[in-house]
Amino acid sequence: MRAREFLTRRSNSLATRLFLSATAWVVIVLFITGVILSSVYRSASERAFDRRLNLYLRTLIAEVATPDEPADRQFQSLGEPLFDLPLSGWYWEIVRTDPDKKEIRASRSLWDKKLPKLEDQGIELSSSGVRVGYVDGPEGQTLRMAERPVDLGADGKFRVTVAGDATEIFDETRSFDYYLGGTFAALTIGLLLTTIFQVRFGLAPLKRISDAIADIRSGRAERLQGGFPVEIAPLARETNALIDANREIVERARTHVGNLAHAVKTPLSVIVNEANAHQRDPFAAKVLEQAEVMRNQVAHHLERARIAARLTVVATVTDVPPVIESLRRTMEKIHRDRGVAIDVEASAGAKFRGERQDLEEMAGNLVDNACKWARSRVFIGASIRQPSGTEPAWLRIIVDDDGRGLSGDERMQASQRGRRLDETQPGSGLGLSIVTELAALYGGSLSLGASPFGGLRAELVLPAA
């Protein structure tokens, strides 16, 4: 599963796409270039070989055209000893094609063999009157052969042929291909390394923007700072404008929420005052009860709106150990008469990505609840849950007590808003539900379980900075 996720992320990576596309083009271009160069070099080798054959061919034609020569005259070696070496791969042949006169003269190297005719293979005469092509030789060699018909009028018609071993052409072309392949392989590696550098260098500003946005989310910065290339500068400018616009919208929302709070609280105060003036009236008592419910609901939803508004703007970072230590001192003073000892174990680098007062409210509710139910001991632990892969880091706060604890059903009831399991303890029963809702607004969670001390364990998970 992780391998599949990794491949999916890589396939969606802009750097990977650029690298793969550049690699594909490099390979395709170099391959086509290599094929063209190999073909050009082979053609050049064939032309050089053909010039050599044509030289021998013209020499033989000159010998044939010499008048008053005896028919059994032995031709000279043409300056090439291979024509005298039997089956050497280099041959010449002169065939008289007059119907009434058959005559064949050949090099010693041809021995008692005959050369095939290019005319029979459908090869047309070139503009210079010569046929050139590949044929199979007497010993199975591949020969490069030049053939020319010669008409001497009254002296007869002849077909003059010169053939040479084509292995020279193939060996030179193969050697060239080896060198070309090695050169292009080294060039491909060099181009790919250059492509990697270009992709990393070209996308570096995007990485800087990504890091800068992460700093903004974590509260280490408020805007995108620094210079960016002209192609990316509009993105940075629009991002900063979006942050400013979002901040203005949130400020207006806060103002409206505050105005709404004042607008609602004032009529509620009037209603409460009027009801207090008629306390003996059952109707007034009912009005007071419902007014208190309304006041709690307004306070609750205003608090949620305040938290949600803060979460939509640039986040702040809160050091956790000072907050936990401050809670410990406060709760020890409040519960001094019960002799509750509070132990703290907080990681030095633990940081909460959020407001300090929100962390104080969430942790304070949990610690206060633990101190109310504890017999003699409360433990507070704060640590960072290290991220795995692309997952973010989380802050983990644990509050244990050595009280009587809660059963599974009681834990579910305790997190319900306003539900109190023991009416003898002071409070409104809203503590755990408030913590749950605040944690959810931050993307975290609250879970209740059994403490190793025998009481209740409350585990609060929040985003870490």
Side-chain angles (χ1 to χ4, degrees), residues 236-255:
R237 184 169 57 251
E238 292 300 324
T239 301
N240 284 331
L242 180 61
I243 293 174
D244 293 338
N246 188 41
R247 198 177 278 121
E248 291 177 3
I249 291 173
V250 171
E251 288 298 328
R252 287 198 297 269
R254 285 178 176 174
T255 302

Side-chain angles (χ1 to χ4, degrees), residues 345-423:
E345 185 178 322
S347 300
K351 294 183 178 181
F352 166 55
R353 186 158 59 87
E355 296 283 347
R356 178 187 178 100
Q357 64 192 69
D358 297 329
L359 179 62
E360 289 176 343
E361 183 170 359
M362 288 183 283
N365 272 299
L366 296 180
V367 176
D368 183 52
N369 185 71
C371 290
K372 289 177 180 178
W373 293 97
R375 293 188 178 92
S376 61
R377 184 182 181 187
V378 171
F379 171 78
I380 308 172
S383 61
I384 298 295
R385 183 190 299 171
Q386 295 300 328
S388 58
T390 58
E391 295 181 1
W394 293 94
L395 170 66
R396 182 169 176 258
I397 298 178
I398 295 175
V399 179
D400 290 322
D401 65 70
D402 60 351
R404 70 175 184 84
L406 297 176
S407 65
D409 293 337
E410 290 175 331
R411 293 170 195 162
M412 294 181 62
Q413 296 176 18
S415 60
Q416 296 177 6
R417 180 169 179 80
R419 185 63 180 271
R420 298 179 59 190
L421 299 179
D422 191 346
E423 299 293 336

Side-chain angles (χ1 to χ4, degrees), residues 146-169:
E147 175 185 287
R148 180 173 181 176
V150 179
D151 188 354
L152 298 179
D155 293 332
K157 296 179 180 180
F158 300 87
R159 185 179 69 251
V160 183
T161 305
V162 178
D165 191 352
T167 304
E168 293 183 16
I169 299 175

Side-chain angles (χ1 to χ4, degrees), residues 17-176:
R17 293 183 179 183
L18 291 175
F19 175 76
L20 292 179
S21 61
T23 300
W25 278 112
V26 166
V27 172
I28 292 173
V29 169
L30 290 182
F31 177 77
I32 294 176
T33 304
V35 171
I36 294 175
L37 288 178
S38 178
S39 177
V40 169
Y41 185 81
R42 182 188 177 97
S43 298
S45 300
E46 288 178 346
R47 287 194 298 270
F49 200 86
D50 292 345
R51 285 194 294 269
R52 186 177 173 187
L53 292 178
N54 284 325
L55 176 62
Y56 296 145
L57 192 65
R58 287 194 297 271
T59 302
L60 289 173
I61 292 173
E63 294 286 351
V64 171
T66 301
D68 302 328
E69 291 291 345
D72 59 348
R73 176 181 176 273
Q74 184 65 41
F75 277 56
Q76 58 180 314
S77 65
L78 304 179
E80 178 58 70
L82 291 175
F83 285 121
D84 294 328
L85 186 64
L87 303 176
S88 63
W90 284 86
Y91 314 105
W92 61 262
E93 185 180 67
I94 300 174
V95 179
R96 186 161 185 166
T97 57
D98 294 310
D100 54 342
K101 293 182 180 180
K102 293 295 182 180
E103 179 184 344
I104 298 177
R105 285 176 286 181
S107 63
R108 293 178 181 177
S109 58
L110 194 56
W111 204 244
D112 59 347
K113 309 292 184 178
K114 292 182 179 181
L115 293 175
K117 292 189 297 182
L118 292 177
E119 184 179 3
D120 295 342
Q121 298 183 10
I123 298 177
E124 300 294 333
L125 289 171
S126 66
S127 58
S128 60
V130 180
R131 293 186 179 93
V132 180
Y134 289 100
V135 297
D136 292 332
E139 290 296 305
Q141 315 108 313
T142 300
L143 304 179
R144 180 75 172 172
M145 191 166 72
E147 175 185 287
R148 180 173 181 176
V150 179
D151 188 354
L152 298 179
D155 293 332
K157 296 179 180 180
F158 300 87
R159 185 179 69 251
V160 183
T161 305
V162 178
D165 191 352
T167 304
E168 293 183 16
I169 299 175
F170 301 151
D171 289 345
E172 289 184 7
T173 304
R174 188 180 303 111
S175 177
F176 177 79

Side-chain angles (χ1 to χ4, degrees), residues 289-368:
E289 177 186 342
Q290 294 303 314
E292 186 63 25
V293 172
M294 293 173 62
R295 184 174 289 172
N296 288 336
Q297 290 290 336
V298 168
H300 169 67
H301 288 289
L302 287 177
E303 180 66 13
R304 289 194 61 177
R306 180 181 63 83
I307 298 297
R310 275 209 304 264
L311 292 176
T312 58
V313 295
V314 177
T316 58
V317 176
T318 300
D319 289 328
V320 176
V323 175
I324 300 299
E325 183 61 27
S326 175
L327 285 174
R328 183 188 66 81
R329 291 195 299 267
T330 301
M331 292 300 169
E332 283 184 342
K333 292 178 180 178
I334 294 175
H335 300 278
R336 181 185 305 165
D337 56 336
R338 298 183 56 239
V340 176
I342 303 176
D343 298 325
V344 173
E345 185 178 322
S347 300
K351 294 183 178 181
F352 166 55
R353 186 158 59 87
E355 296 283 347
R356 178 187 178 100
Q357 64 192 69
D358 297 329
L359 179 62
E360 289 176 343
E361 183 170 359
M362 288 183 283
N365 272 299
L366 296 180
V367 176
D368 183 52

Side-chain angles (χ1 to χ4, degrees), residues 259-269 294 298 302:
N259 294 337
L260 177 62
H262 287 293
V264 172
K265 286 181 179 180
T266 300
L268 279 177
S269 298
M294 293 173 62
V298 168
L302 287 177

